[in-house]
Amino acid sequence: MTAPLADPAHQHLTRLWQAHRPAGPMLPWELKTVYGGRWVRFHSLPESKRYPEDEAEYAVLLDRYNTVLDELFAGGEVYVVTIDWSNPADSAAEPPEWTVLRNALHPAGTLWTTLDDASDPDPDNPWYFYADRRPWVRGCLDPLLRAVADDAVSGVFVTNPDLTRIHHPYDGGADVILPTPEERDRLRARHTAWLSAHPSGY
């Protein structure tokens, strides 16, 4: 269940999520299940290697991330969304390292909404979603993508303003949601070398 909108600048994004079935927002790692018919996963390094070990491998994974992001969003605007579990109203507490890093990597993000985690036994521990809207420019998210690749930050996704194209990078690759299965298939066909060898696509 989501809380009321925190930042009025994100009302458009909230209305779109509310119109979806199932209604969002949702945790980004759930996208592949909810939108499985429009989903494809690309691995970020050759032979499905999970973590980069040198600058050459960072260059490969950033090129793969940015190539797909360009194909999804070039010439348009995007929402960049990051999530946190630290309560921004808890000013008495020292922010955890995760929050400090997320703030540094997503300084334009303002609090959009919150989401209760049904699997969490503590109902007072929601996820906090931060968002900003910007023109898509190749490379604009490279520091954030590097942190994602290192598993220093997770729960990031990028979407177009219509919420029909979603890119969720994770340590090892990216889950991508397209508007239709046909568009998903065309994107997948352009990057077959980046696909998982597993029959499920994972």
Side-chain angles (χ1 to χ4, degrees), residues 142-179:
D142 282 3
L144 183 60
L145 293 172
R146 283 182 68 116
V148 167
D150 291 336
D151 198 24
V153 172
S154 64
V156 175
F157 69 91
V158 185
T159 180
N160 64 335
D162 292 334
L163 205 64
T164 57
R165 300 170 182 269
I166 305 174
H167 183 281
H168 163 49
Y170 67 93
D171 53 315
D175 290 330
V176 181
I177 308 300
L178 276 298

Side-chain angles (χ1 to χ4, degrees), residues 23-162:
M26 63 190 67
L27 296 172
W29 44 87
E30 297 174 341
L31 292 167
K32 63 183 180 295
T33 302
V34 175
Y35 300 115
R38 300 187 280 125
W39 163 83
V40 61
R41 171 170 288 180
F42 296 114
H43 288 177
S44 52
L45 287 169
E47 300 180 356
S48 301
K49 183 176 180 179
R50 186 138 200 175
Y51 296 105
E53 296 182 22
D54 55 36
E55 286 303 314
E57 291 186 335
Y58 279 109
V60 170
L61 71 86
L62 288 173
D63 181 66
R64 289 190 180 189
Y65 282 140
N66 280 294
T67 294
V68 175
L69 286 162
D70 266 350
E71 293 184 37
L72 296 176
F73 306 124
E77 291 194 334
V78 296
Y79 283 100
V80 178
V81 181
T82 57
I83 61 175
D84 205 333
W85 63 81
S86 176
N87 188 339
D90 191 2
S91 58
E94 185 73 21
E97 184 177 344
W98 166 292
T99 298
V100 172
L101 181 59
R102 191 202 59 75
N103 286 337
L105 292 169
H106 192 203
T110 55
L111 184 61
W112 161 33
T113 190
T114 63
L115 176 67
D116 294 333
D117 185 352
S119 65
D120 193 326
D122 181 2
D124 296 322
N125 187 33
W127 293 97
Y128 297 87
F129 285 64
Y130 295 81
D132 80 280
R133 183 168 173 168
R134 65 178 81 177
W136 167 252
V137 178
R138 184 184 180 97
C140 70
L141 295 181
D142 282 3
L144 183 60
L145 293 172
R146 283 182 68 116
V148 167
D150 291 336
D151 198 24
V153 172
S154 64
V156 175
F157 69 91
V158 185
T159 180
N160 64 335
D162 292 334

Side-chain angles (χ1 to χ4, degrees), residues 4-40:
L5 179 70
D7 188 333
H10 304 317
Q11 289 179 354
H12 172 77
L13 188 56
T14 297
R15 286 195 299 269
L16 282 174
W17 272 121
Q18 290 173 343
H20 275 232
R21 294 291 181 271
M26 63 190 67
L27 296 172
W29 44 87
E30 297 174 341
L31 292 167
K32 63 183 180 295
T33 302
V34 175
Y35 300 115
R38 300 187 280 125
W39 163 83
V40 61

